[in-house]
Amino acid sequence: MALIVQKYGGTSVASIERIQAVAQKIKAFKETGDQLVVSVSAMSGETNRMTALAQTIQDTPSLREMDVLLTTGEQVTIALLTMALQQLDCDAISYTGAQVRIMTDSEHGKARIKSIDDYRIRQSLTQGKVVVVAGFQGVDVDGHITTLGRGGSDTTAVALAAALKAYECQIYTDVDGVFTIDPRIEPNARKMNVVSYEEMLEMTSLGSKVLQIRSVEFASKYKVPLRVLSSLIDNPVGTLITNEENIVEQAVISGIAHNKDEAKLSLIGVPDEPGIAFKILSPISTVNIEVDMIVQSVSAREGLTNFAFTVHRNDFKTASKILDRLCQELGAIAVQSDDKVVKVSLVGIGMRSHAGIAAQMFEVLHNESINIQMISTSEIKISVVIDEKYLELAVRSLHAVFELDKE
Ligand code: ASP
Ligand code: MG
C-alpha cells in the first residue's frame, strides 16, 4: 500500500462532468489499495473571473482581501469533488488549507509554505477516506488566509507529498507529460519519460508552463518524485521528474524552452564609468521589476558603452519610462526599446560534459539567417533573444538538428 498525492488542475475540474470523471479515476485508484490525498485547483477560469470582479470595484484591491476572495474557488472544487466521490460510495472528506494547517508566511498573493501539520490528514487516511485538500491556499500565524501565487496548487500538492513522505506526487493536467518542445509549435515534439529536477527547473523558469516553478523547487529540495500526466486519457504514463541518475535520460540536450513574455530595453551611448549598471538597474528594481538577461557592450564611440536588458512584457512601459528619464540624467545618446522579442533556450545536463553546443546552436540560427540579439548561458542551458517573428523557425530548426524527436 502506497501513499500517493494527486493534483487535478483547473481544466480537469472545469465542469461537473469532469469532476465526476475525476471522481471515477480516484475511486479506481483507491480500489487498488493505495492511500490517496488529492489536491485540486479552482474550476478553470474562476480565479480570473474573480480577479476581474474585484477590479470592477478597485484597481488595486488589498492583497489580503484578494486572498480571501480567490481561495473560495478551491473551496468550491474540494466540496464538489468530495460529493462526487461520496456519490460513488467512495469515502472522502474535504479540507481547506487552514484546516490542515498549511502554514505560510504573510506575503499575501505569493506566500511560501513553511509547514504542514499532517495529523488530521493521517487520521482521515487511517479511517479509509480519500482526503481532498484545497490547493493554492494556506494560513499565516495570525490566522489570515494566504495564497501561493498563480498556479500554486502544484506547490500545495508537492508540499503535501513532502510532508506525508508520499511515494509519488502526481500532477494531472491536460497534457500527458513534459515535451522536448511545445507540441503546439512542433508536431514532432517528443514526450520525455524521465527528466531531472535541475532540467525541469530550467525549463520552467525559461518559459515551459507545465508546472509552477516553486513546486519544482520544492520537489527538488525534498526529493519528491513528481509525475506530470494527463487526466483526459486512460492509463496515462506522463513524465517522471526525479534525480535518480541511472534513469534520467543521458541526452546532451533534453529540451527547448521558449518565452514570449520578453521585452528588451537598451540605453545607447552611456558614459562608461564605475557604477553605471547600478545606476541603471537600481531604479528598475525599486519598482519591483525583475530583470532577466543583461548585456553591456562597448560602443563605437570611445568612453561610451551600451547597456541592454530584458524584462517581462507587462513591465515594458514602466521600464521604458524609467530609461527615458535615466537617458537624460546620465547623458546617454538614446533609448532603444523592443517588445517584439522572444527568448529561446536549449536545456540539458549533458551539456556539462559536451563542449561546442553553443557554437552548434549559433550555427543553426545563422543558417536560418536569424540574428541573435542577446546570449546568456549557464552550466546546463544556453538562451538567446531573437526577433519574435523567427520563433517557430528557430525552435523547429534546433529541434531537428539536435534530433530531439529521436529517443
Ligand atoms: N486557481 C489558482 C490559479 O488559477 C491556483 C491554481 O490553479 O493552481 O492560479
Ligand atoms: Mg495550473
Side-chain angles (χ1 to χ4, degrees), residues 196-246:
S196 66
Y197 294 123
E198 241 182 319
E199 287 166 309
M200 195 61 210
L201 215 48
E202 285 283 11
M203 304 262 283
T204 309
S205 60
L206 293 168
S208 155
K209 299 208 163 52
V210 191
L211 292 171
Q212 196 202 32
I213 184 155
R214 277 194 193 168
S215 71
V216 187
E217 287 168 2
F218 220 101
S220 160
K221 187 164 171 198
Y222 295 99
K223 306 269 174 298
V224 176
L226 189 59
R227 192 182 289 277
V228 175
L229 62 189
S230 167
S231 67
L232 307 174
I233 58 175
D234 289 326
N235 307 315
V237 179
T239 299
L240 180 66
I241 304 155
T242 173
N243 249 6
E244 299 297 324
E245 282 196 358
N246 47 342

Side-chain angles (χ1 to χ4, degrees), residues 7 41-42 47 74 136 149-154:
K7 178 251 169 176
S41 295
T47 311
E74 274 72 13
F136 177 56
R150 296 306 304 266
S153 302
D154 294 341

Side-chain angles (χ1 to χ4, degrees), residues 295-317:
V295 172
Q296 186 176 350
S297 56
V298 192
S299 157
R301 283 200 231 168
E302 214 174 312
L304 297 180
T305 179
N306 298 336
F307 193 92
F309 56 92
T310 60
V311 297
H312 193 285
R313 276 192 201 179
N314 291 347
D315 295 326
F316 181 63
K317 280 216 181 91

